[in-house]
Amino acid sequence: MSNQTVDKLPTVGFVSLGCPKALVDSERILTELRAEGYVISPTYDDADIIVVNTCGFIDEAVEESLDAIGEALAENGKVIVTGCLGAKKNVVVDEHPSVLAVTGPHDLEAVMAAVHKHLPKPHDPFADLVPPHGIRLTPKHYAYLKISEGCNHRCTFCIIPAMRGNLASRPIGDVMQEAQRLVDAGVRELLVISQDTSAYGVDLRYRTGFWGGRPIKTRLKELAGALGELGVWVRLHYVYPYPHVDDVIPLMAENKILPYLDVPLQHASQRILKLMKRPAETDNTLKRIQSWRSQCPEITIRSTFIVGFPGETEAEFEQLLDFLTEAQLDRVGCFAYSPVEGAAANNLPDPVPEQLREERRARFMEHQQCISAKKLHRKVGSVQTVLLDTVENENAIGRSSADAPDIDGVVHVSGASGLRDGDFARVRVTDAGEYDLFARPI
Ligand code: SF4
């Protein structure tokens, strides 16, 4: 296509903020824009209009989103806002009254309608401008696969259900088709995401769909099994600790999907979990972790926790530290409680002062760091398969089954000549740091 032709085509600039779920929304919008013949511009100057996909999860994300909108307005002037912050239209419009339109999260049609209104689509779009797997923002070799939207829980610290509504699962046939397209396009790792992966299909009453000519239930176990047949790495994220999660562990033990479970536990005190409206029973959780490990010794368990939740006492916080010692989780993230506007937990008595929340977060991280580091050191001398994210000269950065992109550690591989981005490599671990491993190909 000549530059002259490109110049005549309506051009959209895109700013994508937020979590992997928002990233998938961005990819859908970009795919649709390209399908309709719009050009996507990486700069404000070349664009006729800017779409900003925002995050509104915590106050800092709201600030970042409002700043991004302000920058797009200053640089370009024509801005459409979508995403989580779009659910709070008044916040956007109060700060930036000149935006052209504000649409909520996961609402492709509304964004496209706003774009059409302010920048009519080209008359003769070529469908083949879009590759079959759509437009992706991740490297070529891994991709997020979103299986549902929204959530049926009402955790008191979270406003996602208010912003995104109740659980709405995608039909399993659609999810599998997308997964197959991604694999055909060269993806070697699929990261399954949603707000609540273990609830997949509940809203559809586990309806039977079809994949590859055979009936298949819209349910996590069946989905994981079918994805495991595609011959790529499959990693499960945001798995709420329901009992039926136990059903996917055998698939991990049989190497059908990666032995990796990202299961947000949030706390270990029964009283705090109740205040959070989380269902887990700490004793049960420990038993289940032991059972998962006995069925699949290779399993990496990742979790996230909140400290300084309203009413959390020193004793309850210490109970959480004891839990960490006992659970020996491999990867752990920790947030100091953030009173997100609109969250029910803000009305609970005895809020923990901000300084104490931060202190507890630091103590938590220090405590867990020792556990994670010891676990990593035990891997020195072992042989691992890594997926290489970047290769430069002799040095590569890759990830093992224990490392999800962006949130976990990496494996630094030296002597990686002849290897390329997206290759799998067998390596021997030579050293370990606090979060990362060091290795050489074997
Ligand atoms: S399960 Fe996750 S998304 Fe749903 S309400 Fe709880 S924290 Fe929010």
Side-chain angles (χ1 to χ4, degrees), residues 151-155 157-158 160-161 195-196 240 266 278:
C151 181
N152 287 347
H153 294 286
R154 295 295 179 263
C155 302
F157 53 83
C158 179
I160 284 176
Q195 258 80 45
D196 180 6
Y240 199 82
Q266 309 301 6
R278 303 281 297 186

Side-chain angles (χ1 to χ4, degrees), residues 19 28 41 94 108 114 118 123 125 178 192 202 206 254 308 431:
C19 63
R28 293 228 175 94
S41 165
D94 285 354
L108 178 65
H118 297 284
H123 288 305
E178 182 180 339
V192 175
V202 170
Y206 304 122
E254 292 161 18
D431 201 358

Side-chain angles (χ1 to χ4, degrees), residues 187-246:
V187 162
R188 298 182 138 197
E189 177 179 5
L190 292 167
L191 300 120
V192 175
I193 56 166
S194 67
Q195 258 80 45
D196 180 6
T197 294
S198 27
Y200 178 60
V202 170
D203 53 315
L204 303 178
R205 297 177 190 218
Y206 304 122
R207 190 164 68 207
T208 299
F210 284 89
W211 167 243
R214 64 171 207 256
I216 178 168
K217 282 200 166 180
T218 306
R219 191 163 56 182
L220 179 62
K221 182 179 159 202
E222 283 77 356
L223 175 68
L227 290 172
E229 290 171 15
L230 297 180
V232 297
W233 277 8
V234 176
R235 194 184 292 280
L236 301 183
H237 284 284
Y238 312 118
V239 178
Y240 199 82
Y242 293 119
H244 72 258
V245 171
D246 299 0

